[in-house]
Amino acid sequence: MNEGPADRWLTVAQFDARIAKLRPEAERHVVGQHVISQVLLKRFATPFGSNGLKLVPFNLDRPNHRHKMASPRECGKVKHFARFASASLEQVWGKLETRIPDAALAVDRGEVFQHEQHVQTLKDLIALHLVRSLHYRDIHERIFTKVYTEQRAALLTDKSDLLRLAVLQRSGLHLTGPQGLAAAADQLLRPHLDAFENGADFRIRVEDTFARAKEMVSAAGLEILVPATGEFLLGDAPAVAIQQSEDRTAFNVAIGDSTAIVLPFGPKHLLVGRTPRNGMGIAPAKVVTFLNQLQIEAARQWVYIRPHSRQEAFVRSYLNQKSRRTKG
C-alpha cells in the first residue's frame, strides 16, 4: 500500500485542525493493537473444548523451533501500531469489524453475492488490512523522511530567497549565513517533524489512506476463491496487492498499480479484490500453493496455521527450499 507523495503535506490550517480534533484523545491508547482482525483469525482457529479457539503462530525466522498454540486474541498484535490517539483509531476499525460476522456467515452459506452490503463489507475488509499493517507504516515513515529531507534541502537552496523574505516579513531579521538559514528552515518544518515523532502524522494519514483505499477497492469487483484441494494460509500481512505480468508477479505494490489484492478469509475461502466482476471461483492446487507461498513471502515474521493441518510442514519445506524475498 502506497501513500504517494503528491499530497504529502496538508496545509498548516488543515493539519492544525486535524491535530486539534484528535488532541483530546492523544493519550488514550490501546496497548497491543491487532493488525489482523480477530474475526479473521478466528476463522483459521480450531476449538479445543474449554480452552477455546486455538491456532498455531509459526515464526518464519525460527522455522525449526517448536510452535505452540495460541488464542486468536494473542495473535496478530503490535504493541504500539499507532502511538497517538490509538483508542479512537480502534473505534474506526471497530465500525467495520462488527459487520464482518454477518458477511462471513453469508460467505459460508454461499449466498454472499445476493447481499450487496456483505460484498461491500468484504471489500472494506481488504482495504483495512492493506493500511492496518506494518508494511504501510514502514512506507509512511520512508515517505515522510524522503519528503522532509527534500523540503528542507529546497528551503536551503532553490527556495532560500522565499525563506529569507518570509523571515524578514515576520520578524524584521535579515538572514545572512548558512546557519541562520538552516535554523529558519528547521523552525518552519518543526511542526511537521513534531507530529511525525509523536505519531500524530501517522494517525491522521492512516485514517485518510483507509478512506481512499476503500474507495479504490470498492470501485472494482470481488471474487471469492475456494480451494480445489488443501487450504489457504494466513500471514501477518495478509492483504497483498499484486501486479501480475506474463513472466513475474510483484507484490506489496501500490493499489493503483495492482492487478489484484488477495486476502485469505479462512482455510476454505480467499478474497480477491480489484477484479473485473463479482463471483465465486475454484482455485486449482497450483494456485493454492502459489497464494500460500505469497503469504509467506509477504509476511513480516509470522504465519498462522490451523492446528493439526499439514500447513506447518508446507511452510517449513518452503523455507528450507529458498530464502524469502522480503522479511518486511
Side-chain angles (χ1 to χ4, degrees), residues 103-152:
L105 272 176
V107 170
D108 293 337
R109 291 171 179 166
E111 58 184 41
V112 66
F113 291 108
Q114 300 173 29
H115 306 277
E116 180 56 36
Q117 72 272 25
H118 295 328
V119 173
Q120 188 59 56
T121 292
L122 297 177
K123 290 180 178 181
D124 290 350
L125 185 67
I126 292 172
L128 171 65
H129 285 87
L130 280 173
V131 301
R132 192 176 65 179
S133 74
L134 293 176
H135 286 315
Y136 171 78
R137 194 174 70 178
D138 287 348
I139 289 169
H140 165 81
E141 292 174 356
R142 287 198 298 268
I143 290 176
F144 181 93
T145 301
K146 179 177 183 292
V147 174
Y148 181 89
T149 301
E150 290 174 350
Q151 291 285 328
R152 188 177 185 277

Coordinates of all heavy atoms in Angstrom, one line a residue, residues 103-152:
A103 N -21.3 -11.0 7.3 CA -20.7 -11.2 5.9 C -20.1 -12.6 5.9 O -20.2 -13.3 4.8 CB -19.7 -10.2 5.6
A104 N -19.4 -13.0 6.9 CA -18.8 -14.4 7.0 C -19.8 -15.5 6.9 O -19.6 -16.5 6.2 CB -17.9 -14.5 8.2
L105 N -20.9 -15.3 7.6 CA -22.0 -16.3 7.5 C -22.5 -16.4 6.1 O -22.8 -17.5 5.6 CB -23.1 -15.9 8.4 CG -23.1 -16.4 9.9 CD1 -24.2 -15.8 10.7 CD2 -23.0 -17.9 10.0
A106 N -22.7 -15.3 5.4 CA -23.2 -15.3 4.0 C -22.2 -16.0 3.1 O -22.6 -16.7 2.2 CB -23.4 -13.9 3.6
V107 N -20.9 -15.8 3.4 CA -19.8 -16.5 2.6 C -20.0 -18.0 2.8 O -20.0 -18.8 1.8 CB -18.4 -16.0 3.0 CG1 -17.4 -16.9 2.3 CG2 -18.2 -14.6 2.5
D108 N -20.1 -18.4 4.0 CA -20.1 -19.8 4.3 C -21.4 -20.5 3.8 O -21.3 -21.7 3.4 CB -20.0 -20.1 5.9 CG -18.7 -19.6 6.4 OD1 -17.7 -19.6 5.7 OD2 -18.6 -19.3 7.7
R109 N -22.4 -19.7 3.7 CA -23.7 -20.3 3.1 C -23.7 -20.2 1.6 O -24.6 -20.7 1.0 CB -24.9 -19.5 3.7 CG -25.1 -19.7 5.1 CD -26.2 -18.7 5.6 NE -26.5 -18.9 7.1 CZ -27.1 -18.1 7.8 NH1 -27.6 -16.9 7.3 NH2 -27.4 -18.3 9.1
G110 N -22.7 -19.6 1.0 CA -22.7 -19.5 -0.5 C -23.6 -18.5 -1.1 O -24.0 -18.5 -2.2
E111 N -24.1 -17.5 -0.2 CA -25.1 -16.5 -0.7 C -24.6 -15.1 -0.6 O -25.4 -14.2 -0.7 CB -26.4 -16.7 0.1 CG -26.2 -16.5 1.6 CD -27.5 -16.8 2.4 OE1 -28.2 -17.8 2.0 OE2 -27.7 -16.1 3.4
V112 N -23.3 -14.9 -0.4 CA -22.8 -13.5 -0.2 C -23.1 -12.5 -1.3 O -23.4 -11.4 -1.1 CB -21.3 -13.5 0.2 CG1 -20.5 -13.9 -1.1 CG2 -20.9 -12.2 0.7
F113 N -23.1 -13.0 -2.5 CA -23.3 -12.1 -3.7 C -24.8 -11.8 -3.9 O -25.1 -11.0 -4.8 CB -22.7 -12.7 -4.9 CG -21.2 -12.7 -4.9 CD1 -20.5 -13.9 -4.7 CD2 -20.5 -11.5 -5.0 CE1 -19.1 -13.9 -4.7 CE2 -19.1 -11.5 -4.9 CZ -18.4 -12.7 -4.7
Q114 N -25.6 -12.3 -3.0 CA -27.0 -11.9 -3.0 C -27.3 -10.7 -2.1 O -28.4 -10.2 -2.0 CB -27.9 -13.1 -2.5 CG -27.8 -14.3 -3.4 CD -28.6 -15.5 -2.8 OE1 -29.6 -15.3 -2.1 NE2 -28.1 -16.7 -3.1
H115 N -26.2 -10.3 -1.4 CA -26.3 -9.2 -0.4 C -25.2 -8.2 -0.7 O -24.1 -8.4 -0.3 CB -26.3 -9.7 1.0 CG -27.2 -10.8 1.3 ND1 -28.5 -10.6 1.6 CD2 -27.1 -12.2 1.2 CE1 -29.2 -11.7 1.8 NE2 -28.3 -12.7 1.6
E116 N -25.6 -7.1 -1.3 CA -24.5 -6.1 -1.6 C -23.8 -5.5 -0.4 O -22.7 -5.2 -0.5 CB -25.2 -4.9 -2.4 CG -24.2 -3.8 -2.8 CD -23.0 -4.3 -3.6 OE1 -23.2 -5.3 -4.5 OE2 -21.9 -3.8 -3.5
Q117 N -24.6 -5.4 0.7 CA -23.9 -4.9 1.9 C -22.8 -5.8 2.4 O -21.8 -5.3 2.9 CB -24.9 -4.6 3.0 CG -25.5 -5.8 3.7 CD -26.7 -6.4 3.0 OE1 -26.9 -6.2 1.8 NE2 -27.6 -7.1 3.8
H118 N -22.9 -7.1 2.2 CA -21.9 -8.0 2.7 C -20.7 -8.0 1.7 O -19.6 -8.1 2.1 CB -22.4 -9.5 2.7 CG -23.5 -9.6 3.8 ND1 -23.5 -8.9 5.0 CD2 -24.6 -10.5 3.8 CE1 -24.6 -9.3 5.7 NE2 -25.2 -10.2 5.0
V119 N -21.0 -7.8 0.4 CA -19.9 -7.7 -0.5 C -19.1 -6.4 -0.2 O -17.9 -6.5 -0.2 CB -20.5 -7.6 -2.0 CG1 -19.3 -7.3 -3.0 CG2 -21.1 -8.9 -2.4
Q120 N -19.8 -5.3 0.1 CA -19.1 -4.1 0.5 C -18.3 -4.3 1.7 O -17.1 -3.8 1.9 CB -20.1 -3.0 0.7 CG -19.4 -1.6 0.8 CD -18.5 -1.2 -0.3 OE1 -19.0 -1.2 -1.5 NE2 -17.3 -0.9 -0.1
T121 N -18.8 -5.0 2.7 CA -18.0 -5.3 3.9 C -16.7 -6.0 3.6 O -15.7 -5.7 4.2 CB -18.9 -6.1 4.9 OG1 -20.0 -5.3 5.4 CG2 -18.1 -6.6 6.1
L122 N -16.8 -7.0 2.8 CA -15.6 -7.8 2.4 C -14.6 -6.9 1.7 O -13.4 -7.0 1.9 CB -16.0 -9.0 1.6 CG -16.8 -10.0 2.3 CD1 -17.2 -11.2 1.4 CD2 -16.2 -10.5 3.6
K123 N -15.1 -6.0 0.8 CA -14.2 -5.1 0.1 C -13.5 -4.2 1.1 O -12.3 -3.9 1.1 CB -14.9 -4.3 -0.9 CG -15.4 -5.1 -2.1 CD -16.1 -4.2 -3.1 CE -16.6 -5.0 -4.4 NZ -17.3 -4.1 -5.3
D124 N -14.3 -3.7 2.1 CA -13.7 -2.8 3.1 C -12.7 -3.5 4.0 O -11.7 -2.9 4.4 CB -14.8 -2.2 4.0 CG -15.7 -1.2 3.3 OD1 -15.4 -0.8 2.1 OD2 -16.8 -0.8 3.8
L125 N -12.9 -4.8 4.2 CA -12.0 -5.6 5.0 C -10.7 -5.7 4.3 O -9.6 -5.7 4.9 CB -12.6 -7.0 5.2 CG -11.8 -7.9 6.2 CD1 -11.8 -7.4 7.6 CD2 -12.4 -9.3 6.1
I126 N -10.7 -5.8 3.0 CA -9.4 -5.9 2.2 C -8.7 -4.5 2.4 O -7.5 -4.5 2.7 CB -9.7 -6.1 0.7 CG1 -10.3 -7.5 0.5 CG2 -8.5 -5.9 -0.1 CD1 -10.7 -7.8 -0.9
A127 N -9.4 -3.4 2.2 CA -8.8 -2.1 2.4 C -8.2 -1.9 3.8 O -7.1 -1.4 4.0 CB -9.8 -1.0 2.1
L128 N -9.0 -2.4 4.8 CA -8.5 -2.3 6.2 C -7.2 -3.0 6.4 O -6.2 -2.4 7.0 CB -9.5 -2.9 7.1 CG -9.1 -3.1 8.6 CD1 -8.9 -1.7 9.3 CD2 -10.1 -3.9 9.4
H129 N -7.0 -4.2 5.9 CA -5.8 -4.9 6.1 C -4.6 -4.4 5.2 O -3.5 -4.8 5.5 CB -6.0 -6.4 5.9 CG -6.7 -7.0 7.1 ND1 -8.1 -7.0 7.2 CD2 -6.3 -7.5 8.3 CE1 -8.5 -7.6 8.3 NE2 -7.4 -7.9 9.0
L130 N -4.9 -3.7 4.2 CA -3.9 -3.0 3.4 C -3.2 -1.9 4.2 O -2.0 -1.8 4.2 CB -4.4 -2.4 2.1 CG -4.6 -3.4 0.9 CD1 -5.3 -2.7 -0.2 CD2 -3.3 -4.0 0.5
V131 N -4.0 -1.1 4.9 CA -3.4 0.0 5.6 C -3.1 -0.3 7.1 O -2.2 0.4 7.7 CB -4.4 1.3 5.6 CG1 -4.6 1.6 4.1 CG2 -5.7 1.0 6.3
R132 N -3.8 -1.2 7.7 CA -3.5 -1.5 9.1 C -2.4 -2.6 9.1 O -2.7 -3.7 9.5 CB -4.8 -2.0 9.9 CG -4.6 -2.1 11.4 CD -5.8 -2.4 12.1 NE -6.3 -3.7 11.8 CZ -7.4 -4.3 12.3 NH1 -8.1 -3.6 13.2 NH2 -7.7 -5.5 12.0
S133 N -1.3 -2.2 8.7 CA -0.2 -3.2 8.5 C 1.2 -2.5 8.8 O 1.3 -1.3 8.6 CB -0.2 -3.8 7.1 OG 0.3 -2.9 6.2
L134 N 2.1 -3.3 9.2 CA 3.5 -2.7 9.4 C 4.1 -2.4 8.1 O 5.0 -1.5 8.1 CB 4.3 -3.8 10.2 CG 3.9 -4.0 11.6 CD1 4.8 -5.1 12.2 CD2 4.0 -2.8 12.5
H135 N 3.7 -3.0 7.0 CA 4.2 -2.6 5.7 C 3.8 -1.1 5.4 O 4.6 -0.3 5.0 CB 3.7 -3.5 4.6 CG 4.3 -4.9 4.6 ND1 5.7 -5.1 4.7 CD2 3.8 -6.1 4.4 CE1 5.9 -6.4 4.6 NE2 4.8 -7.0 4.4
Y136 N 2.5 -0.8 5.6 CA 2.1 0.5 5.4 C 2.8 1.5 6.3 O 3.2 2.6 5.9 CB 0.6 0.6 5.6 CG 0.1 2.1 5.6 CD1 0.0 2.7 4.4 CD2 -0.1 2.8 6.8 CE1 -0.4 4.1 4.3 CE2 -0.5 4.1 6.7 CZ -0.6 4.7 5.5 OH -1.0 6.1 5.5
R137 N 3.0 1.2 7.6 CA 3.7 2.1 8.5 C 5.1 2.3 8.0 O 5.6 3.5 8.1 CB 3.6 1.5 9.9 CG 4.0 2.6 11.0 CD 3.8 2.1 12.4 NE 4.8 1.0 12.7 CZ 4.9 0.4 13.9 NH1 4.0 0.7 14.8 NH2 5.8 -0.5 14.1
D138 N 5.8 1.3 7.6 CA 7.1 1.5 7.0 C 7.1 2.4 5.8 O 8.0 3.3 5.7 CB 7.7 0.1 6.6 CG 8.1 -0.7 7.9 OD1 8.1 -0.2 9.0 OD2 8.4 -1.9 7.7
I139 N 6.2 2.2 4.9 CA 6.1 3.1 3.8 C 5.8 4.6 4.2 O 6.5 5.5 3.7 CB 4.9 2.6 2.8 CG1 5.3 1.3 2.2 CG2 4.6 3.7 1.8 CD1 4.2 0.7 1.4
H140 N 4.9 4.7 5.2 CA 4.7 6.1 5.7 C 6.0 6.7 6.2 O 6.2 7.9 5.9 CB 3.6 6.0 6.8 CG 3.5 7.2 7.6 ND1 2.8 8.3 7.3 CD2 4.1 7.5 8.8 CE1 2.9 9.3 8.2 NE2 3.7 8.8 9.1
E141 N 6.7 6.0 7.0 CA 8.0 6.6 7.5 C 9.0 6.9 6.5 O 9.7 7.9 6.5 CB 8.5 5.6 8.6 CG 7.6 5.4 9.8 CD 8.1 4.4 10.8 OE1 9.1 3.7 10.4 OE2 7.5 4.2 11.9
R142 N 9.1 6.0 5.5 CA 10.0 6.3 4.4 C 9.7 7.5 3.6 O 10.5 8.3 3.2 CB 10.2 5.0 3.5 CG 10.9 3.9 4.1 CD 11.4 2.9 3.0 NE 10.2 2.3 2.3 CZ 9.7 1.2 2.6 NH1 10.0 0.5 3.7 NH2 8.7 0.7 1.9
I143 N 8.4 7.6 3.3 CA 7.9 8.8 2.5 C 8.1 10.0 3.3 O 8.6 11.1 2.8 CB 6.4 8.6 2.1 CG1 6.3 7.5 1.0 CG2 5.9 9.9 1.5 CD1 4.9 7.2 0.6
F144 N 7.8 10.0 4.6 CA 7.9 11.2 5.4 C 9.4 11.7 5.4 O 9.7 12.8 5.2 CB 7.5 11.0 6.8 CG 7.6 12.3 7.7 CD1 6.6 13.2 7.8 CD2 8.8 12.6 8.3 CE1 6.7 14.3 8.5 CE2 9.0 13.7 9.0 CZ 7.9 14.6 9.2
T145 N 10.3 10.7 5.7 CA 11.7 11.1 5.7 C 12.2 11.6 4.4 O 12.9 12.6 4.3 CB 12.5 9.8 6.1 OG1 12.1 9.3 7.4 CG2 14.0 10.1 6.1
K146 N 11.8 11.0 3.3 CA 12.2 11.5 1.9 C 11.7 12.9 1.7 O 12.4 13.8 1.3 CB 11.7 10.5 0.9 CG 12.0 10.9 -0.6 CD 11.5 9.8 -1.5 CE 11.9 10.2 -3.0 NZ 11.2 11.3 -3.5
V147 N 10.4 13.1 1.9 CA 9.8 14.4 1.6 C 10.3 15.5 2.5 O 10.6 16.6 2.1 CB 8.2 14.3 1.7 CG1 7.6 15.7 1.5 CG2 7.7 13.4 0.6
Y148 N 10.5 15.1 3.8 CA 11.0 16.1 4.8 C 12.4 16.5 4.3 O 12.8 17.7 4.3 CB 11.1 15.5 6.2 CG 11.6 16.5 7.2 CD1 10.8 17.4 7.9 CD2 13.0 16.5 7.5 CE1 11.2 18.2 8.8 CE2 13.5 17.4 8.4 CZ 12.6 18.3 9.1 OH 13.1 19.1 10.0
T149 N 13.2 15.6 4.0 CA 14.6 15.9 3.5 C 14.6 16.7 2.3 O 15.4 17.7 2.2 CB 15.4 14.6 3.3 OG1 15.4 13.8 4.5 CG2 16.8 14.9 2.9
E150 N 13.7 16.4 1.3 CA 13.6 17.2 0.1 C 13.1 18.6 0.4 O 13.7 19.6 -0.2 CB 12.7 16.5 -0.9 CG 13.3 15.2 -1.5 CD 12.3 14.5 -2.3 OE1 11.1 14.9 -2.3 OE2 12.6 13.5 -3.0
Q151 N 12.1 18.8 1.3 CA 11.6 20.1 1.6 C 12.7 21.0 2.3 O 12.8 22.1 2.0 CB 10.4 20.0 2.5 CG 9.2 19.4 1.9 CD 8.5 20.4 0.9 OE1 8.5 21.6 1.2 NE2 7.9 19.9 -0.1
R152 N 13.4 20.3 3.2 CA 14.5 21.1 3.9 C 15.6 21.5 2.9 O 16.0 22.7 3.0 CB 15.0 20.3 5.0 CG 16.0 21.0 6.0 CD 16.5 20.2 7.1 NE 17.3 21.0 8.0 CZ 18.6 21.2 7.9 NH1 19.2 20.8 6.8 NH2 19.2 22.0 8.8

